Amino acid sequence: TIYGFALLYRRTGERHYLELAENLARYFLDQLNPDFIPAWDFKLPGGDDGLIDTSAAAIAASGLLELSPRFQGFGKAIVWSLLINHSRATDPETEGILPRCFAREEGVNRQMFTIWGDYVYLEALLKATGKDYGLWDSPD
């Protein structure tokens, strides 16, 4: 994933991880919907069932925010779209923060709140506002 290779680069300084993250980022950005939220599967035929994956958007945004300023701009655009169009953080009637995370349960495609979606969304929000606490960094 974009995020995984970006973190590997940050941790090791090995340039090939950065190149992999950037190549994946370019591919991801080429596949995005106009609202910056990806379909749950980029290879769906034209008449897909309309499922999106907000958790994938948040994970990619966190990865993009680890890269060069050009990619960081796209990461912030994704975070903004999640915040404005999808976040339910102020709705006390919901089960989570970020709806429409893709999951497959017992062979059925579903969109729901997920703990990983909420976690990575909050992490991306922090990064987008300049507060990177290095949550995935391990102490040496």
Side-chain angles (χ1 to χ4, degrees):
T1 69
I2 299 165
Y3 195 20
F5 286 118
L7 289 176
L8 279 169
Y9 173 70
R10 181 167 77 174
R11 182 78 172 133
T12 67
E14 294 183 29
R15 183 127 184 99
H16 65 277
Y17 291 131
L18 176 61
E19 291 168 2
L20 284 166
E22 289 175 344
N23 286 337
L24 289 167
R26 281 187 280 279
Y27 178 82
F28 178 82
L29 293 170
D30 285 344
Q31 307 302 312
L32 282 183
N33 294 323
D35 69 350
F36 294 103
I37 308 302
W40 71 273
D41 185 341
F42 289 145
K43 297 192 185 254
L44 288 174
D48 73 47
D49 52 11
L51 294 177
I52 61 170
D53 190 346
T54 56
S55 63
I59 294 165
S62 241
L64 293 167
L65 290 164
E66 295 277 337
L67 302 176
S68 70
R70 175 181 177 266
F71 290 114
Q72 290 171 11
F74 285 109
K76 288 178 181 179
I78 293 170
V79 170
W80 183 254
S81 181
L82 290 169
L83 177 68
I84 298 303
N85 300 315
H86 298 281
S87 176
R88 300 296 179 262
T90 59
D91 183 352
E93 301 297 316
T94 63
E95 299 174 5
I97 298 169
L98 194 61
R100 301 194 74 188
C101 299
F102 178 78
R104 189 167 177 87
E105 284 188 333
E106 299 175 11
V108 177
N109 299 334
R110 295 192 41 197
Q111 290 185 296
M112 62 182 76
F113 293 96
T114 63
I115 194 164
W116 66 85
D118 289 353
Y119 174 86
V120 181
Y121 171 61
L122 293 174
E123 184 181 38
L125 276 171
L126 287 170
K127 284 183 183 181
T129 59
K131 295 173 176 63
D132 184 359
Y133 296 106
L135 300 173
W136 292 100
D137 294 340
S138 62
D140 290 329

